[in-house]
Amino acid sequence: MTDRPLTLMAVHAHPDDEATGTGGVLARYAAEGIRTVLVTCTDGGCGDGPGGVKPGDPGHDPGAVATMRRQELKASCDVLKVSDLEMLDYADSGMMGWPSNDAPGSFWRTPVEEGAARLAELMRHYRPDVVVTYDENGFYGHPDHIQAHRITMAALEMTALTPKVYWTTMPRSMMRRFGETMREFGEDMPEPDPAEAAAMAEIGLPDDEITTWVDTTAFSGQKFDSLAAHASQGENIFFLKMGKERFGELMGVETFVRVKDTAGAAVTEDDLFAGLR
């Protein structure tokens, strides 16, 4: 036994990503006395600016946006009771195909080995028992999410640590419910073109391929508030439109695929720390 606390490390791409896929587990495990470490890889500079000004439009200042989003991220971490926030501060790469993908200093352009070495140093410092990040496609194909996956898996190879490792995902049954809810709260939303609809249909996994279902219902209010802390991006955060009660009904479970395990925990499991306590 050791006095070192059990530790969860979540590796995310941008400010606000911590809330969407892992806000519930960060809040739940913090409440259970587990150390929660959030690593945010980019500065979020390709987000919306004040007044909703978009990247590339006149008046959009990536540096000012990054400063604003750092403050929002800290507020979100306060809501979720995150123990430790680490920012790698790479430049936000923007969506796939944007010119910002190849801008000097962008996360997408950074050699994987460089980012992984920095993350491995943090892993050696915090010695996480559980590491959470995205799958190979970054869940939906965002370049910074893909790069976060790459550096996380490479960093694990650089260390002698043997944490349980998870990738965030979503059951297809829940994706269907999301689609219905989005239509309910966004009646003027245009129908996606066939290619976009086909891509959306591939997001997430069949329910029976998901290894880990964590009940975070009791913490859905904190998760909502952590999303709301990212007020500058409110136009892009669909979930805020539905209100806390409906949000809690829809977002009360967070789901993952377990990809590495040395604890011998059975699947299906309902606890990222199964076998560790």
Side-chain angles (χ1 to χ4, degrees), residues 172-190:
R172 295 267 168 82
S173 61
M174 189 178 293
M175 288 299 298
R176 287 191 293 272
R177 291 205 303 276
F178 277 147
E180 294 165 1
T181 305
M182 288 178 74
R183 286 188 290 274
E184 176 186 344
F185 284 89
E187 295 175 359
D188 57 348
M189 291 177 61

Side-chain angles (χ1 to χ4, degrees), residues 5-20:
L6 285 172
T7 300
L8 165 66
M9 176 180 281
V11 183
H12 282 291
H14 312 98
D16 77 21
D17 289 333
E18 81 288 342
T20 308

Side-chain angles (χ1 to χ4, degrees), residues 33 44-45 50 216 224:
T216 60
F224 184 93

Side-chain angles (χ1 to χ4, degrees), residues 89-102:
D89 265 340
Y90 290 107
D92 189 341
S93 308
M95 300 298 287
M96 190 67 81
W98 286 13
S100 50
N101 292 176
D102 296 316

Side-chain angles (χ1 to χ4, degrees), residues 12-18 40-50 53-55 60-73 87-94 98 100 105-107 142 144-145 230 232-233 236:
H12 282 291
H14 312 98
D16 77 21
D17 289 333
E18 81 288 342
T40 301
C41 297
T42 81
D43 60 12
C46 285
D48 288 356
V53 62
K54 303 297 181 185
H60 187 276
D61 180 348
V65 172
T67 298
M68 175 176 61
R69 298 195 71 186
R70 177 188 289 270
Q71 295 168 348
E72 292 175 339
L73 177 60
M87 296 192 70
L88 300 185
D89 265 340
Y90 290 107
D92 189 341
S93 308
W98 286 13
S100 50
S106 75
F107 190 38
H142 193 295
D144 287 331
H145 290 223
H230 297 281
S232 69
Q233 309 306 305
N236 301 319

Side-chain angles (χ1 to χ4, degrees), residues 2 4-5 7 9 122-130 161:
T2 176
R4 184 181 66 84
T7 300
M9 176 180 281
L122 292 175
M123 289 180 174
R124 294 186 191 103
H125 174 73
Y126 289 107
R127 297 171 59 200
D129 302 280
V130 171
L161 303 172

